[in-house]
Amino acid sequence: MRRIRSAEQRLSELFAAGEVPGFIHLSIGQEAVAAGVMAALQPADTIASNHRGHGHCLARGVDLAGLFAEIMGRDTGLCRGRGGSMHVADMRIGMLGANGIVGAGIPLAVGSALAHQVRGTGGVAVAFFGDGALAEGVLHESLNIAALWRLPLLFVCENNGWSEFSPAERQFAAKPLDLAATFGIGGEQVDGNDVLGVLDAATRLRSQTAGDGPRMLECITDRVRGHYEGDPQRYRAGTRELTDPLDAGRQRLRAARVTAAAIDAIDAEVEQELAAAVETARSGAHPQFAAAAADVYTQGA
């Protein structure tokens, strides 16, 4: 969680300084969801992320320098600088990719779950989506197919209460678990700011998914930043107190008699990793225009 938080804070600074092209959407406040779910997964599992996916990638174990190089548009990035923040992928560790279209990663996870089923890998596919995707038809279609075919697919809803710029209840009339139940899919709701609670529920549901078909995990969490970096957030009314999953995690560690010095050492180690990753990314070459079409078209016979 510390690596995700610090990495995104650094990305915010780089974006403000003009070193990150395009848009970035930060998951600050939602770190416990990414860390808890990924800790429950197995090496064979696959993940479809969304536009707020840096945390998912880092928790799964993507190379930190490769991630920064990708977001900073370098040829040394995980996708050679072609994907940027919203399309990071790393097939070596099962990251099918982030996605800039709301809900568009969900059907990719359906296909991956079918592949797991047909090939007998024992793995499951995980689809991350926010509450803003609940009204998208592709989610409803994916729930239906996953239920009909009993696919090993775990739907993870990161419910931060905001559908981009609108309260979630103003754009979707039902509740996520009620929607899943309509298709005969069971699930659980969990405090998405409690990393051990997320881990426990995700571990349980992952096991059920692998043996008995799809499940849904709804994580109630908080989006501290705006929808995108630079969002003035004029739509936010009041000053509701937000729960910081890192503070909660630190308190839990201290209660378990982990020393403050040991926790501070983790923070310091992460800062060193970040400094090295940023400098490595900065030194990477920019993509060559002539290679822009590579991997897009095949050569004719």
Side-chain angles (χ1 to χ4, degrees):
M1 289 194 295
R2 169 52 64 190
R3 183 177 287 110
I4 297 169
R5 172 69 59 84
S6 296
E8 292 209 306
Q9 289 174 333
R10 191 74 179 96
L11 284 171
S12 176
E13 295 170 359
L14 292 168
F15 179 80
E19 294 191 61
V20 172
F23 283 101
I24 57 172
H25 303 74
L26 304 182
S27 64
I28 292 175
Q30 301 182 186
E31 295 89 351
V33 179
V37 171
M38 293 303 177
L41 302 185
Q42 301 297 319
D45 296 343
T46 48
I47 302 98
S49 184
N50 59 7
H51 61 282
R52 208 176 304 281
H54 305 147
H56 307 149
C57 294
L58 289 170
R60 184 60 173 176
V62 301
D63 177 69
L64 190 60
L67 177 67
F68 269 82
E70 181 61 32
I71 295 173
M72 294 170 72
R74 297 303 202 274
D75 191 61
T76 50
L78 293 170
C79 303
R80 299 191 64 185
R82 298 171 185 170
S85 171
M86 288 188 282
H87 299 92
V88 177
D90 189 345
M91 299 301 178
R92 295 168 297 182
I93 58 173
M95 285 300 304
L96 303 177
N99 208 299
I101 300 174
V102 175
I106 301 171
L108 301 183
V110 172
S112 185
L114 178 60
H116 285 304
Q117 184 183 76
V118 171
R119 295 173 178 172
T121 67
V124 307
V126 179
F128 283 95
F129 58 96
D131 48 278
L134 290 171
E136 294 289 338
V138 70
L139 171 60
H140 301 211
E141 295 173 28
S142 296
L143 287 166
N144 183 51
I145 295 251
L148 284 172
W149 296 346
R150 295 183 64 186
L151 297 178
L153 175 55
L154 178 59
F155 294 88
V156 179
C157 178
E158 296 177 287
N159 191 343
N160 60 36
W162 290 102
S163 173
E164 293 191 347
F165 315 109
S166 304
E169 62 270 16
R170 290 179 55 187
Q171 66 93 32
F172 190 63
K175 302 294 184 184
L177 293 181
D178 292 340
L179 174 63
T182 301
F183 296 93
I185 295 174
E188 297 183 32
Q189 183 187 86
V190 68
D191 178 358
N193 297 320
D194 175 5
V195 67
L196 292 185
V198 174
L199 171 59
D200 180 61
T203 299
R204 185 164 48 251
L205 291 175
R206 192 247 172 237
S207 177
Q208 295 172 9
T209 296
D212 192 40
R215 295 291 189 276
M216 181 179 287
L217 175 62
E218 180 188 9
C219 301
I220 306 299
T221 185
D222 296 308
R223 191 191 79 195
V224 174
R225 312 287 285 206
H227 169 57
Y228 59 89
E229 196 63 5
D231 173 9
Q233 304 189 71
R234 297 189 182 94
Y235 49 85
R236 284 197 195 251
T239 55
R240 183 174 70 86
E241 185 176 350
L242 305 179
T243 301
D244 189 331
L246 270 71
D247 288 346
R250 188 181 185 95
Q251 292 171 15
R252 194 187 289 270
L253 288 172
R254 294 292 288 126
R257 299 185 179 180
V258 177
T259 66
I263 300 172
D264 291 342
I266 293 173
D267 294 348
E269 180 181 353
V270 167
E271 292 304 321
Q272 290 179 350
E273 290 177 353
L274 279 172
V278 171
E279 289 311 308
T280 298
R282 280 174 171 157
S283 66
H286 289 273
Q288 295 297 311
F289 181 80
D295 304 319
V296 176
Y297 301 103
T298 57
Q299 296 296 322

